[in-house]
Amino acid sequence: METRLRFALLLTSFFVVWVYGATPIPNKQLLGIDPQDLSFYKSNVIKCKDGSKKFAKELLNDEFCDCPDGTDEPGTSACPEGKFYCQNAGHTPIKIFSSRVNDGVCDCCDGSDEYNSNANCTNTCWEAGKVAREKLKKKIETFKEGLIIRKEEVEKANKAYAKDEADLAKLKSDEKVLKELVQKLREQKERIDKLEEEERLKKEKEEKSLREEEEKSKEQEIKADETQNFDTMDNHEQDGSTGNLDIAVESGNDNMVESKKASTQTAEQHVGEGHDDTLESSDGISQDGEISSYEVPKQDQDDSGSTEELSREELGRLVASRWTSEGADQTTDKIGNVEEDLMDQDSSVAHEHKGYTSETDDDREKDDDDDDNFEDDRDDEFEDDHSSSDASYIADEYEKPDPLDSIEVSSPTWLDKIQQTVQSVLQAFNFFKTPVNVSDATHIRKEYDDTSSKLSKMQSRISSLTEKLKRDFGKEKEFYFFYDQCFESKQNKYVYKICPFKQASQDEGYSNTRLGSWDNFEESYRVMVFNNGEKCWNGPDRSLKVRLRCGLKNEISDVDEPSRCEYTALMSTPALCLEDKLKELEKKLEQMNTRKPQGHHDEL
Amino acid sequence: MAPLTPLLLRYLVVILIPLFLFSSSASAWKKDEFRNCNQTPFCKCARTRTPHSLPRLIVSDLLISDGHLTAHLQPSLSSEDDVSAGDTPHPRPLVLRLSVYQDGILRLKIDEDYSAPSAPSKQRFEVPDVVLPDFEDRRLWLPRVSSTEDGSISSLYLSDGFEVVLRHDPFEIQVRRKRSNDPIISLNSHGLFEFEQLREKKEGEDWEERFRGHTDTRPHGPQSISFDVSFHGAEFVYGIPEHASTSLALRATRGPGVDHSEPYRLFNLDVFEYLHDSPFGLYGSIPFMLSHGLKGSAGFFWLNAAEMQIDVLAPGWDDSAAAGNDRIDTFWMSEAGIVDTFFFVGPGPKDVLQQYASVTGTLAMPQEFAIAYHQCRWNYRDEEDVATVDAGFDEHDIPYDVLWLDIEHTDGKRYFTWDRVLFPNPEEMQKKLAAKGRHMVTIVDPHIKRDDSYYVHKEATDKGYYVKDATGKDFDGWCWSGSSSYPDTLNPEVREWWAEKFSLKNYGGSTPSLYIWNDMNEPSVFNGPEISMPRDALHFGGVEHRELHNVYGLYFHMATADGLLKRGNGKDRPFVLSRAFFAGSQRHGAIWTGDNSADWDQLRSSVPMILTLGLTGISFSGADVGGFFGNPEPELLVRWYQLAAYYPFFRAHAHHDTKRREPWLFGERRTALIREAIHIRYSLLPYYYSLFRKASISGIPIMRPLWLEFPEDKKTFDNSEAFMIGEGILVQGIYEEGQKSVSVYLPGEQSWYNMRNGAAYSGGQTHKLEVFEDSIPSFQKAGSIVPRKYRFRRSTTQMANDPYTLVIALNSSLAAEGELYIDDGKSYDFEQGAYIHRRFVFSNGKLTSSTIHSASLREKKFSSSCTVERIILLGLPSGAKKAVIEPGNHETEIEPGPLTLRGGASSVALVIRKPNVRIADDWTIKVL
């Protein structure tokens, strides 16, 4: 013990002397001092670093705490706030808490912290250092490579950003033109509407008088006429019977369109429902039976004071569920059946969903491909890629209407074309001809619809671009391309989808749980924060923090939920491969290399 | 649209059901779920009875036999009674037995007369295993009984200065002071004694009781007992846990000036989100009440494990003109069992505690690690999580000793198993912790999953070890593990079997550094009446659950602790934390106050709750730091740590829906504050360990009400905010958000030294103090010596060889004294004398260390090379420069120094620098 201690002391002082060639201070007193601090301890009366006191050199490392900040006991455990410096030759020097000194646990890889304890520490610095150096080297490589990618990306981002700004300006001016066109068309259209209305009223009057004289069979003919004449209204008039024609006429055009929509929807739902039914019956569970099985717990809840109607097991689950959120779902689980039914239902709904939204799925897959080929894409047609396909993917996935859909901002001629078309249509229409030329009227209406829909698309494009350009893309806009991208990571049964600047979700099959909406960057662009996700039972709203680190690809990993409904994830991205950090790492490696304990490492 | 409706409806149902559940879960305490007195026939009936309304009870057939006094107890049969009684059968006499034990303890038993011709076939349940086995050895042999000439009163010697008086007609027991004849405690002074004797069921009689869909068959019918007990000369009564309250003294539950209140209920229940102030019963029951006043203290204990309800009656409740005299009347009701009561005469409060401890025992000496800081959460999810949390403590230089795993660590809530996905290498995980001197605790609950492939269930089923339902089948209830059964640990054979489960061989994945936590042992049964077991369930020997309900948790705790003891071949002190408890649970391990909530009121009520546990024997107890339910504001969490650092049992715990709250998650400043709070506990560990030792010998708790130390200071009697740690330290909690100042009453005549800054405050006064963020007010009493360690480590294990600091607070005559107890912190060698016990006395400018070791018992020895690195002197007039140490005539310096070794600490005391005397040696240090 005694000899080992002396040896350790000798060795420590040897290194210190060897590296810094300082004037020797008694060995024991040197313990735990950072070589950079040695000069501080040279004088015979030493100040506590916090300025609280002075102490004589003999009191340095004398196992009695004189300075509350630990200045006088760098090498012992006497001061709770002290720090012990381990040389760790062959590895990285570290400072450990004084509480670790001689506590029987080897904390320094050179074992220097256990100079007076029963612990038998072997020097593992060289082996550990080797591994650490290799790791560091690799990290540096990544940083170097990442830095190049980052530079390119920043350049592209800035270009794209500038282009967005230019586009926005152009869009805004185009919008003006288009607005005027729409205005003109609307005026025309309204005039036509008015004309037609007059004609129709006139005709109606005639019909009315006719009808008074004619029999029922004749009415059929009139109707046929109407149908011919009022092409655009056929849908509605077929719906209505002759008896309530008046009412139908009074309700305006807008309503008609709506009711048409609604009826289509009903039809679609109906189809879906039929699908659902088949699924169920194949499971052999009748719908009625299912519903009644829900009703029992429901009634129970209505009568919240009483749990007497519950089966023993339900009661057990109900009580358990107070402590657990999971249990709450299980409570509705009537001996397992209900839960299964729920699953069935979910899947049937999901099927139904798939039935008429296959487009979305296709797009999703497309995007997956994009992600996979991200690196390659970036190298050639990076810009194009992101201004089209990714954007459309987002349009389908989330509520934001696709701003780019059919408007090719880059094409200079589209607006001219529209202008020409509108002009020609307007000119072609003859207002003085009665009855109104049906085909001309249709033309005007169509042109009005088309153009105003183009305008609204353009406006939404403008607002989304404005929205986009408001975002903070980082100091060098290094996160610009994150705007139109989503990143996914599959962990067990969940797929985590993170769309920076937008939102993040946890998907399981077809059920999505919103983990949060974009909040901001934190810790100077090292963390992406998504807040206000779906509320947790008896818990907080879900949230997600994505910690960014340097990597060659944009990749999500290690999604975790350290606290209930508070998610964390790691994401590697070239955007975080920063030059300063690289220099720091290189310096660290250099230091590790220069501290090679030439041949001494195996002596301990 | 029509075809859509069923689908929509079903969606609605799916959505609504959870909504209903959520809303009902969000509201806290489920009052309706638990029976109140009016819904409990025996309670309702007894509580409405008026004094002296029952037929008088008469004592007859007095006899001294076997050194006991026995007699018969019978209602008077006055002529009018005969007429009105009509067809009611002539009641059998009850058998009364009085016994006297050393140190002023009277035991009164009243039971059926099983020798009578019409005696019931069923024996009433008498709680075994609670009274210490050697208690009978301390019984005094009664040679005779002296009676007055008219034979109306008999009296017995109780102890020096005390006697027992038995009045024959009407029956009354009185314990009183001899010469003055001042009564201390009396029973049946108000004639409320009622004992429902077991009997045959009458034609058409319905004995069943129904509550919220549960039917209690009550095959043996009514069998309740009730009586009144009066504490004379008492100003306050305390005890009868477990109830949440902000008041240490029990408030009246009935009588003038009392709004409608339930009686204090003793019935072990798993109460979801309990209220911070309510007489309803919680997880444990100890039917032991203490009284205290300027005239002295007394105690009363009813050994009965059935449901009990106790009224504390406000003066004037009985319309007596005597309202306002210094007497507190109480009324005790129990559903079943027998009268087996103990009267403790005091006269001091510590005497009462020691008398009670001589009946039910003192706390089992814990290992040293167990009294340090514990880190728990429902749940540390997997091995990685465990490693991360463990590393977090190291990274932030915060010591901790034990990491806990809640139910989710198991394979489907099958205790003694591991979820091998989350915990693939439990042994390795524990070994990693053990390498840093840390321990692990896993949870083992009594609900055994009814799964034929689960060996514990299979064995218990095959051997018939489960509690049975009323029909004799294994009772099947719902708990965490789903459909579950409960081992019948009343049966010694079952306990032995259960204990075996903890051997390293049987408990796969366990290592010697693993200890145990018993939760849900009230027992909690989610689908049972009042979330517990039906009262007509059957235990070993045909005992009904109603008869032993309150002691079930203790038996389970006992069996588990026995298991750990066996695991270590009787050499390793067990550590088992239990939620349910009964009188005597202190012999088996620690207790915590269950599922509290993260709010300031619950922080406040934790102190009276823990103090009450301490007064009733359970010295090793604590409350979950931070509050189990809900998320504490960081300020509350910090205050909780600052208070809990003084709890005897110091553990942080949290519900799994709460945010993570490991100490370093609230910013650097708060991390530092929490570290400081935990450091205070670690620095005081030598003092705490010595107090644990003392408690294990004497039954005097570690954390004490002020009046226990200052029994003659009236101002302390109703103080529920401050408490003493041992004799030397007073702590005042801070229970309000943003509190800027606090009034602290410092009792006694000596002054007190503020442990934050060394400032002295005079005793016997209330001081208004500024409140600081960094600590709650704490004071060292002038005249005390507190041993500490000012070196902080990862855990207690690494502190074993660290030097001591003695903090000496001198009184007005410049004197002080204190003690230090040390042993190996693990084994039972201390029982063979392997310990160091020092007394430190400072007087006449000289500190002397001497042993208080009883030299006769030294089969084994414990040695320590620890030294004293620092002696801090508070209250010594400045001017001292040197000290001389004997033996060796060696000089050392005295210099001004701080109280704590913290950055910014200023010199407020005189410090003897590095005396470096060995803690185990005799020495003196003279201040020059």
Side-chain angles (χ1 to χ4, degrees), chain B residues 410-418 443-462 466 481 483-485 497-498 501 506-507:
Chain B
T410 59
D411 172 16
K413 317 293 186 307
R414 293 170 187 86
Y415 302 105
F416 308 103
T417 70
W418 301 82
I443 195 164
V444 175
D445 291 351
H447 45 264
I448 303 301
K449 190 174 181 68
R450 294 187 59 80
D451 166 4
D452 291 335
S453 60
Y454 176 34
Y455 70 101
V456 180
H457 172 65
K458 200 167 179 322
E459 283 176 39
T461 311
D462 293 349
Y466 282 136
S481 41
S483 170
S484 307
S485 291
W497 164 80
W498 181 254
K501 297 281 152 282
N506 287 341
Y507 187 172

Side-chain angles (χ1 to χ4, degrees), chain A residues 66 107 323 332 345 537 564, chain B residues 10 17 22 657 794 913:
Chain A
D66 290 292
D107 289 286
W323 281 269
T332 54
Q345 232 174 40
W537 178 83
R564 208 171 115 73
Chain B
R10 275 193 291 152
I17 289 174
F22 296 169
D657 286 346
R794 284 187 169 87
R913 222 189 131 82

Side-chain angles (χ1 to χ4, degrees), chain B residues 788-861:
Chain B
R788 291 178 165 238
K789 280 190 177 181
Y790 274 171
R791 304 219 176 178
F792 302 106
R793 302 297 196 175
R794 284 187 169 87
S795 70
T796 56
T797 309
Q798 293 94 20
M799 292 172 74
N801 298 316
D802 282 338
Y804 288 87
T805 290
L806 300 178
V807 182
I808 302 181
L810 295 172
N811 63 16
S812 51
S813 36
L814 300 184
E817 59 177 61
E819 284 181 24
L820 174 65
Y821 172 84
I822 321 168
D823 61 23
D824 66 10
K826 297 182 178 75
S827 78
Y828 286 98
D829 287 355
F830 70 91
E831 289 181 344
Q832 275 107 51
Y835 62 84
I836 294 166
H837 196 176
R838 309 298 302 178
R839 174 183 297 285
F840 305 114
V841 176
F842 190 97
S843 65
N844 302 320
K846 197 168 80 179
L847 174 66
T848 309
S849 169
S850 57
T851 183
I852 28 178
H853 203 296
S854 44
S856 55
L857 272 161
R858 299 223 73 169
E859 293 164 41
K860 286 188 179 166
K861 279 192 182 173

Side-chain angles (χ1 to χ4, degrees), chain B residues 810 814 873-881 894-896 908-910 927-928:
Chain B
L810 295 172
L814 300 184
L873 287 154
L874 288 160
L876 190 73
S878 57
K881 289 272 180 268
I894 297 182
E895 59 184 26
V908 294
L910 287 177
V927 175
L928 297 179

